[in-house]
Amino acid sequence: MVPLPPPPPPPPPPPLPLRAFSESSSSSSACSSFGGSVIGLSREEGLESKKRKAATECISEEIASNLEAKEHLDASIARWFYSAGLPFHFARNPDYISLFSFATKDEISNYCPPDEKMLKTTLLQKERENIERLLEPVKEGWKENGVSIVISGWTDEQEGPFVNLIAVTGDWPIFLRAIKCEGKYEDENFLADLIMETIAEVGPQNVVQVITNNAPVCRAAGMLVEEQYPHIFWTPCVVEIINLVIKNICEAKDTEATDVIYDECRWITTIIADAMVIKNFIMHHSMKTVIFKLFANLKRLAIADTRFASMIVLLKRFKLIKSDLENMVNGDRWARFEVDNVRKAQFLKGKVLDQLWWENIDYILLFVGPIYQMLRVANAEKPSLHCVYDMWDLTIEKVKVAIYQHEGRQEDEQSTFYSVVHKILVDGWNKSKTPLHCLAHSLNPRYHSRMWLDEAPNRVAPYRNAEISGERNKCMQRYFADRAEGVKVKTEFAKFAGTSDKFADHDSRHDRGILDPKIWWIVYGSSVPKLQSLAIKVLGQPCSLSCFERNWSTFSFVNTIKRNKIIPQFAEDLLFVHTNLRLLSRRSPEYMQGENKMWDVGGDVFESFEGAGILEFACLSLDEPDLEDVVFANERNGFDVEPIKVESVGRNF
């Protein structure tokens, strides 16, 4: 048998409390010895406790000191904002945040901030050189990807006209310079020379098109540029022309030349005028505004007179807050406060409760919706030149469907109202159409795909359309002056359009309707190198001025330059640095995330919402949810604005 292991020794007795030793006067020597060891142990514990307490007090003092230093730094920064009159939204600038993060992390002994002279000269030059380095990879891609020279002009009564020159490739705009042209802006020769100087700077072989507005002087200057550089096309801003179409429909003028349009469209003008009266009555009367805020959770009526489609934005906002307006005019508070202007208050209440008025708003938004959507696509910060031709065709079809369905007509019947709207649309298309639009349409693989052709009846591929083919061939002749080279390119186009040779591959044909057109050419176009090179350049271009014009005013910065008495060379550097820093910032992933999302919305003005410049961004934002979230979020940081929930326009009491 295996012997069992011995039992474990008994546990030692627990130590007696200290007071047991003090209370016992007849302790044995053993107990006295044991008691002495316990007392010694308690003294050690006491010392450790005192050390921990001292360490805790040191940490607490350090925390208190850091908290005091933080509060002092916060107060100093706030004082800087207040004394300099800096806009509060500057605190969202990522450079502002990184500045103080770096300063609090890295101790630099005896540091003294740069003075005024260094900021104007040495540091400005260094920053320009830094930005030039950052932009170098973009410029290196100009040869392969092509460039659009975009000319944007603006005028101030005191400063006179200025012209901004931008180079755009894909969705990469680069600010080149701003030129003051007082007394010269109406001179097409001056503008043409300015454009050709810029073309020489960028490289004529890299430039695809020059985009300006549709003013006669700009068109004349564009024709002079085309004479000098036959391969470079002048194109008008498509967004401005679409906006003009919307204005011609919604704000028809009573003139002899437009009497037919006015007769058919004046009901739209009346609806919009009524909406403006209601908006102004609410927003310009303090008590009415207070009542409105009680019912409407969104400050939707504060709309700037934007450059693009502001009247449509206004009607969309009215539709959004319809129930709030109805609750407002039916409330007891409205009845008590309407006595100060009975006539207008009764007019407002009558319109808000008139269901026929709201039905007319619905109808306007229904048939103008496709035009408005086209404007948004053309206005996006991405290449859209290749979409223009199809967008106009599709928009005209959708407008006809909306009007005919509302009027209850068959497709073969005549509609006087649609005939007027159709004429306005066709006039707009004729103003914006150029051979380059037809070439871009022809080179877009999507419009040769079975997927696109089957989406609607009567669609044909671009090479089967006589108008598109004629304009495309004109472009080919201008791009390839050498006859032999032109024949080679036309042969390559025939292979692409007819899906022959390498283009007969299944993946190539399948991906025509799926891949981005430029990516498709990079993946499948190597067998036709000359046509591939042309397609990559053309398909990466914008169709409007607005791809870079958002959220800030160059004019306000010109004022800053004048106030600081900067010499012309440094002034040009400052404009270059200021604008390109913002454009570069928009390329970072952080620009669309977190608290600093779209930090430059609102420009350089001090006011958060009510100032004259705050809604500069609305010229291009229309009613984009991302931008609205930023602006209304800024409003929530004010003193008297209710919390906003975009998904709900009502308020629960």
Side-chain angles (χ1 to χ4, degrees):
M1 296 178 63
V2 179
L4 296 173
L16 296 173
L18 290 180
R19 67 170 179 264
F21 295 102
S22 62
E23 290 174 357
S24 176
S25 58
S26 59
S27 303
S28 64
S29 60
C31 289
S32 298
S33 174
F34 180 71
S37 67
V38 171
I39 293 172
L41 182 62
S42 70
R43 287 175 180 170
E44 291 179 6
E45 289 178 347
L47 290 174
E48 287 297 325
S49 176
K50 288 181 179 179
K51 288 180 182 179
R52 286 196 298 271
K53 184 177 180 181
T56 302
E57 289 176 352
C58 289
I59 293 172
S60 299
E61 289 176 3
E62 184 179 354
I63 292 173
S65 176
N66 287 342
L67 183 61
E68 185 178 351
K70 178 183 179 301
E71 290 177 350
H72 179 77
L73 181 59
D74 287 346
S76 299
I77 294 172
R79 196 174 301 116
W80 172 45
F81 268 77
Y82 305 149
S83 63
L86 297 177
F88 296 133
H89 70 262
F90 277 14
R92 298 174 60 236
N93 188 317
D95 292 319
Y96 161 84
I97 297 169
S98 64
L99 156 69
F100 288 103
S101 298
F102 178 84
T104 53
K105 250 190 334 185
D106 302 86
E107 295 184 7
I108 307 175
S109 58
N110 301 321
Y111 176 74
C112 182
D115 59 18
E116 182 181 4
K117 184 178 179 182
M118 288 183 66
L119 289 169
K120 288 182 180 179
T121 56
T122 310
L123 292 176
L124 181 59
Q125 279 298 112
K126 287 183 178 179
E127 187 58 29
R128 170 150 193 166
E129 292 169 2
N130 176 52
I131 290 175
E132 293 279 13
R133 284 194 297 272
L134 293 174
L135 294 176
E136 196 58 39
V138 183
K139 293 182 177 181
E140 288 175 356
W142 284 352
K143 183 177 181 180
E144 180 178 357
N145 298 315
V147 180
S148 294
I149 304 298
V150 183
I151 314 297
S152 172
W154 50 270
T155 304
D156 177 79
E157 292 179 359
Q158 295 179 347
E159 297 300 321
F162 285 78
V163 172
N164 297 331
L165 295 113
I166 313 286
V168 184
T169 181
D171 55 356
W172 262 107
I174 295 179
F175 177 83
L176 300 176
R177 60 184 181 274
I179 305 295
K180 186 174 182 179
C181 51
E182 191 169 2
K184 301 177 182 177
Y185 187 70
E186 297 299 327
D187 183 356
E188 65 265 24
N189 293 301
F190 168 78
L191 282 180
D193 290 342
L194 188 60
I195 294 169
M196 286 189 275
E197 287 175 11
T198 307
I199 290 173
E201 176 186 342
V202 172
Q205 72 281 3
N206 300 327
V207 179
V208 175
Q209 64 175 341
V210 174
I211 306 177
T212 71
N213 62 36
N214 199 36
V217 64
C218 295
R219 180 181 289 272
M223 296 302 102
L224 292 174
V225 171
E226 288 191 358
E227 288 179 12
Q228 181 68 26
Y229 298 103
H231 71 285
I232 297 175
F233 293 83
W234 170 80
T235 57
C237 175
V238 173
V239 168
E240 291 191 352
I241 292 174
I242 298 172
N243 185 63
L244 182 62
V245 166
I246 294 176
K247 289 187 71 173
N248 288 340
I249 294 171
C250 298
E251 298 179 0
K253 305 297 183 184
D254 187 10
T255 65
E256 185 177 349
T258 60
D259 56 346
V260 176
I261 296 175
Y262 180 76
D263 288 342
E264 291 296 326
C265 298
R266 61 182 172 182
W267 66 274
I268 304 173
T269 306
T270 302
I271 294 291
I272 293 172
D274 292 343
M276 288 297 297
V277 170
I278 296 171
K279 173 219 164 187
N280 292 335
F281 185 61
I282 293 174
M283 301 307 294
H284 295 169
H285 292 73
S286 59
M287 192 54 65
K288 303 299 184 296
T289 304
V290 171
I291 299 171
F292 174 73
K293 286 182 180 179
L294 289 174
F295 290 92
N297 211 11
L298 300 178
K299 196 172 183 179
R300 295 293 190 185
L301 290 186
I303 301 171
D305 185 14
T306 62
R307 198 169 54 164
F308 299 138
S310 58
M311 68 289 290
I312 301 303
V313 177
L314 179 64
L315 295 184
K316 286 167 71 71
R317 301 281 176 82
F318 263 77
K319 186 75 168 97
L320 186 66
I321 60 174
K322 176 187 175 184
S323 61
D324 297 316
L325 289 170
E326 291 172 340
N327 292 334
M328 178 186 73
V329 298
N330 284 324
D332 294 338
R333 295 192 180 210
W334 182 265
R336 289 201 302 269
F337 288 112
E338 71 176 10
V339 294
D340 61 342
N341 195 326
V342 176
R343 185 177 59 83
K344 281 190 176 181
Q346 289 178 347
F347 171 82
L348 186 153
K349 184 174 182 177
K351 289 299 178 184
V352 168
L353 299 180
D354 183 356
Q355 292 307 309
L356 179 59
W357 190 73
W358 287 108
E359 288 175 8
N360 285 331
I361 289 179
D362 289 339
Y363 181 35
I364 293 170
L365 295 177
L366 178 67
F367 81 83
V368 177
I371 310 173
Y372 179 76
Q373 184 60 32
M374 176 171 60
L375 190 151
R376 290 181 64 112
V377 172
N379 188 50
E381 294 184 353
K382 60 182 181 181
S384 53
L385 181 71
H386 56 277
C387 301
V388 173
Y389 195 100
D390 184 53
M391 280 196 306
W392 278 102
D393 271 355
L394 193 59
T395 297
I396 292 172
E397 290 175 10
K398 288 183 176 180
V399 170
K400 180 177 181 179
V401 169
I403 293 175
Y404 270 57
Q405 284 182 350
H406 183 268
E407 294 182 351
R409 296 182 184 275
Q410 298 297 319
E411 187 176 354
D412 57 348
E413 294 180 334
Q414 290 294 319
S415 166
T416 307
F417 178 62
Y418 173 71
S419 298
V420 169
V421 174
H422 179 263
K423 183 179 185 305
I424 295 173
L425 286 167
V426 171
D427 288 345
W429 167 229
N430 289 332
K431 287 179 181 177
S432 68
K433 181 177 61 177
T434 70
L436 192 61
H437 292 131
C438 296
L439 175 64
H441 181 83
S442 295
L443 292 176
N444 189 339
R446 171 175 168 75
Y447 302 133
H448 297 264
S449 69
R450 179 50 53 191
M451 180 186 299
W452 180 80
L453 292 171
D454 290 342
E455 283 180 358
N458 303 322
R459 277 188 176 175
V460 296
Y463 72 92
R464 293 184 179 275
N465 184 300
E467 179 189 32
I468 294 174
S469 296
E471 297 298 299
R472 180 191 65 246
N473 291 335
K474 289 179 184 177
C475 286
M476 294 286 195
Q477 291 171 5
R478 289 173 60 174
Y479 268 113
F480 304 101
D482 181 77
R483 190 172 185 84
E485 191 177 26
V487 169
K488 184 175 181 180
V489 172
K490 289 176 183 177
T491 304
E492 291 182 348
F493 179 81
K495 292 179 181 179
F496 157 68
T499 60
S500 62
D501 200 12
K502 299 290 185 181
F503 296 110
D505 176 74
H506 175 268
D507 288 344
S508 167
R509 295 165 62 187
H510 177 266
D511 290 346
R512 288 186 175 206
I514 298 174
L515 290 179
D516 173 86
K518 188 174 176 180
I519 293 176
W520 186 92
W521 275 102
I522 292 172
V523 173
Y524 296 111
S526 58
S527 63
V528 288
K530 289 190 177 296
L531 191 67
Q532 181 192 47
S533 177
L534 177 62
I536 290 173
K537 281 187 175 182
V538 171
L539 296 175
Q541 305 310 314
C543 69
S544 72
L545 302 172
S546 52
C547 56
F548 64 92
E549 286 182 334
R550 181 180 277 172
N551 311 341
W552 72 87
S553 166
T554 307
F555 172 68
S556 63
F557 213 68
V558 170
N559 279 340
T560 301
I561 290 171
K562 290 185 64 181
R563 282 200 307 271
N564 288 289
K565 299 178 181 177
I566 302 175
I567 62 175
Q569 176 56 48
F570 291 130
E572 184 178 333
D573 291 341
L574 186 56
L575 278 172
F576 180 88
V577 169
H578 170 75
T579 308
N580 282 311
L581 275 176
R582 294 192 170 199
L583 293 172
L584 284 166
S585 173
R586 295 179 182 188
R587 304 298 304 178
S588 66
E590 293 78 13
Y591 182 73
M592 295 301 295
Q593 301 171 3
E595 294 182 359
N596 300 324
K597 177 180 177 180
M598 304 178 82
W599 61 269
D600 54 349
V601 167
D604 299 320
V605 295
F606 182 84
E607 298 85 352
S608 64
F609 195 86
E610 301 298 342
I614 177 59
L615 287 184
E616 286 172 358
F617 78 93
C619 291
L620 301 173
S621 71
L622 305 173
D623 61 345
E624 293 177 27
D626 286 341
L627 284 174
E628 286 192 352
D629 287 350
V630 172
V631 173
F632 291 119
N634 288 343
E635 280 298 286
R636 290 199 296 273
N637 296 326
F639 298 102
D640 61 350
V641 180
E642 294 292 336
I644 295 168
K645 294 181 180 178
V646 174
E647 69 273 11
S648 174
V649 296
R651 178 179 176 185
N652 296 323
F653 289 90

